[in-house]
C-alpha cells in the first residue's frame, strides 16, 4: 500500500466518521476534479504540498485537506474547524 492509497482510505474513513458520508473512489475523483478545475473555494495554504479547500458534495459544503503532489484528498476536517473561520 502506498502513501496515495493510504491518504484516500483515511479521507473515506474521516468522511464516514465525521459526516456519515459513504464515499467511493468515484466520489473522491469528482471532488478532486472540483479542486483542480478551480471550482472549490481556497481556504488556506498549509505547506508547499497541502492546502485546505471547501468542496461541495450532495448539496453540502465540506472542508478538506488536499495534497497537490499526490492529487488526492487527505482528510475531511471536523465541523468545529470549519466554523472557526
Amino acid at each position: 500500500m502506498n502513501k496515495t492509497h493510504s491518504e484516500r482510505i483515511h479521507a473515506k474513513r474521516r468522511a464516514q466518521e465525521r459526516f456519515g458520508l459513504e464515499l467511493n473512489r468515484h466520489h473522491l475523483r469528482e471532488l478532486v476534479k472540483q479542486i483542480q478545475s478551480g471550482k472549490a473555494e481556497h481556504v488556506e495554504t498549509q505547506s508547499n504540498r497541502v492546502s485546505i479547500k471547501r468542496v461541495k458534495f450532495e448539496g453540502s459544503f465540506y472542508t478538506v485537506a488536499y495534497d497537490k503532489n499526490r492529487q488526492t484528498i487527505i482528510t475531511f476536517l471536523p465541523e468545529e474547524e470549519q466554523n472557526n473561520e
Side-chain angles (χ1 to χ4, degrees), residues 58-74:
E58 294 183 347
S60 297
F61 288 92
Y62 301 96
T63 304
V64 299
Y66 174 72
D67 182 333
K68 75 175 184 180
N69 292 352
R70 293 183 177 87
Q71 300 180 357
T72 189
I73 292 173
I74 301 168

Side-chain angles (χ1 to χ4, degrees), residues 7-70:
E7 286 180 349
R8 288 183 185 134
I9 289 171
H10 180 83
K12 288 183 201 178
R13 283 185 183 151
R14 293 305 163 256
Q16 168 60 39
E17 174 185 294
R18 294 175 176 154
F19 305 106
L21 296 175
E22 290 289 337
L23 298 178
N24 60 35
R25 62 190 168 114
H26 303 293
H27 294 133
L28 283 178
R29 189 177 308 137
E30 287 304 314
L31 292 173
V32 167
K33 281 183 187 175
Q34 199 179 123
I35 292 168
Q36 291 175 343
S37 68
K39 294 178 182 170
E41 176 189 348
H42 178 80
V43 177
E44 80 177 88
T45 301
Q46 290 211 324
S47 68
N48 258 350
R49 181 178 65 88
V50 178
S51 57
I52 307 301
K53 304 283 188 180
R54 184 164 289 125
V55 295
K56 187 173 184 178
F57 180 71
E58 294 183 347
S60 297
F61 288 92
Y62 301 96
T63 304
V64 299
Y66 174 72
D67 182 333
K68 75 175 184 180
N69 292 352
R70 293 183 177 87

